[in-house]
Amino acid sequence: MTEPREIAERLLDAQVEFLLGEVTGDRFTEVVARDIEAVLEVADTLVFRDIVELDQAKQTVRTIVDLIGGSPVLADMAGVFADSIYDHIAENNDDTLGQVVDREPVEALLEKILGMHQAQERILDRLTESPLVATVAAKFVDKLINDFVAANRERAEKIPGVSSLMSLGQSAANRAKKAADGTFVGDLAGKGALFALKRTNNAIREMLRDAPVHPAAMEFWDLHADEPVSGLREYLTKKDLNELVLICYEIAVTTREKEYFGLLVDECVEVFFQKYGGYTLAAMLPELGLTGDDIATEILRYGPAVIEGAKRNGVLAALIRQRLEPFYTSEAVLAILAG
């Protein structure tokens, strides 16, 4: 009579072979389709908020942002991606900017930005609080005035005798400016800087609201839309793009580490729960743009190669045997086989 343990070994061998056959060739495709259908049937009975708790979801999303967002792969590849993109742009004379980016969303974006009057007013108001910005505005206004004076001087100097008078006037003005530094007049110069900033802000407001900025911006876009993508290289060098990408990556990584960013992530998770918490797991797939066929396709895209590799070196059979052997050699099973 065959010993129970020997029967158990034969049953174990048979099941290992059966499971290996399930993941081989055309049979694997059938198994994937069958199992996905079964999983989706179960998922259609499970409500999202009943399976996943809000605090658990918050912690999971935070973990993903923390681990993936700061992973060595992203740190190593950020600059490499930038260089590769630049090289591709340099070689691409077939695609135009207008083919890559549609005109309609660009026009809508510009229209929205130019129409954000509240944001514009707030930014301009905050600028008046900065002495340094006021100084820059004053220099800007001075530059405009100086250019205007220089243009008129050039015309006036063509008249005999006027050149000497203008030189004398300029010399006197320079001496007066030097004497004013650190005096009450100098203080007035500081107030003049603030006045210049306010005048500059008013000019910006009028330009944004009254001047045809939007049509001018779209005209600028249209001038570039029919040019090859490679033309973008004229705006920055390969080194510039690499450094910009790395700086942006550094900003993203350091921002991710702040507690406030975590609070924003938590808020997003709460909003997601409010909107989709009542959905079943299966009903959420279409909301994510996925179907069962999409999932099967991706499994079949990579699964066979992985499984064949694991079968070829014997790892898969060993893993299956390792999982099943404790069952077949258990006292309960041996007792059944002995009976």
Side-chain angles (χ1 to χ4, degrees):
M1 181 177 178
T2 306
E3 293 291 332
R5 183 167 292 276
E6 182 180 346
I7 297 174
E9 289 291 341
R10 289 166 58 187
L11 288 172
L12 175 60
D13 290 340
Q15 186 163 12
V16 169
E17 288 300 317
F18 173 79
L19 292 176
L20 287 174
E22 289 275 272
V23 295
T24 300
D26 295 338
R27 179 61 183 152
F28 181 61
T29 303
E30 298 174 7
V31 169
V32 168
R34 178 201 66 194
D35 290 349
I36 287 179
E37 183 179 357
V39 169
L40 290 180
E41 287 179 358
V42 174
D44 203 31
T45 66
L46 303 174
V47 177
F48 181 71
R49 65 162 56 97
D50 295 338
I51 303 301
V52 182
E53 294 182 3
L54 179 58
D55 289 340
Q56 291 177 329
K58 288 180 179 179
Q59 187 58 51
T60 298
V61 175
R62 283 199 177 208
T63 300
I64 292 173
V65 171
D66 182 56
L67 296 180
I68 297 180
S71 68
V73 172
L74 290 180
D76 292 340
M77 297 305 294
V80 177
F81 286 151
D83 291 342
S84 178
I85 290 172
Y86 192 93
D87 290 339
H88 178 73
I89 288 175
E91 298 172 356
N92 194 327
N93 293 310
D94 298 326
D95 298 307
T96 65
L97 189 59
Q99 291 173 333
V100 176
V101 181
D102 291 339
R103 188 181 194 277
E104 289 75 12
V106 174
E107 185 172 15
L109 175 63
L110 284 172
E111 186 174 355
K112 180 59 180 177
I113 292 175
L114 294 174
M116 295 170 62
H117 300 308
Q118 180 178 344
Q120 295 162 10
E121 292 290 336
R122 182 58 176 162
I123 291 171
L124 293 174
D125 288 342
R126 292 307 299 266
L127 285 176
T128 59
E129 301 173 11
S130 170
L132 184 58
V133 174
T135 302
V136 172
K139 290 184 178 296
F140 175 72
V141 173
D142 286 345
K143 176 64 176 172
L144 291 178
I145 295 174
N146 289 339
D147 287 348
F148 175 78
V149 171
N152 283 278
R153 180 191 296 118
E154 185 177 348
R155 297 188 185 96
E157 285 179 345
K158 297 178 181 179
I159 304 174
V162 174
S163 177
S164 298
L165 290 174
M166 294 196 68
S167 297
L168 180 61
Q170 182 64 48
S171 177
N174 290 336
R175 287 195 300 270
K177 182 179 180 182
K178 184 176 181 180
D181 291 340
T183 66
F184 174 73
V185 178
D187 293 337
L188 289 178
K191 294 179 180 178
L194 182 60
F195 175 77
L197 176 58
K198 291 181 178 179
R199 293 292 295 173
T200 303
N201 286 351
N202 288 335
I204 293 174
R205 286 187 179 94
E206 292 175 6
M207 180 189 71
L208 291 175
R209 298 197 177 195
D210 300 331
V213 179
H214 182 267
M218 290 312 302
E219 184 175 282
F220 176 80
W221 168 263
D222 291 335
L223 288 174
H224 291 76
D226 293 331
E227 295 182 358
V229 173
S230 58
L232 295 174
R233 291 175 301 161
E234 299 176 7
Y235 288 92
L236 74 173
T237 65
K238 185 175 182 178
K239 184 173 182 292
D240 289 334
L241 179 61
N242 183 284
E243 291 178 350
L244 281 172
V245 169
L246 291 178
I247 290 172
C248 292
Y249 173 76
E250 183 65 20
I251 291 174
V253 170
T254 53
T255 302
R256 173 187 57 88
E257 296 171 352
K258 302 296 189 296
E259 179 59 27
Y260 182 70
F261 184 80
L263 296 177
L264 293 179
V265 171
D266 290 347
E267 181 65 22
C268 291
V269 173
E270 289 183 10
V271 171
F272 182 87
F273 261 73
Q274 290 173 5
K275 183 172 178 60
Y276 295 105
Y279 282 61
T280 66
L281 297 181
M284 286 185 62
L285 287 180
E287 299 297 319
L288 296 172
L290 295 173
T291 65
D293 290 340
D294 295 327
I295 298 173
T297 298
E298 295 307 314
I299 293 176
L300 293 174
R301 191 190 307 277
Y302 304 104
V306 174
I307 291 173
E308 285 302 318
K311 282 181 59 180
R312 195 163 45 247
N313 58 24
V315 172
L316 183 58
L319 287 174
I320 295 174
R321 180 176 294 276
Q322 185 180 14
R323 298 296 185 274
L324 296 177
E325 189 170 18
F327 169 76
Y328 283 101
T329 58
S330 65
E331 292 298 329
V333 172
L334 292 178
I336 293 173
L337 295 175

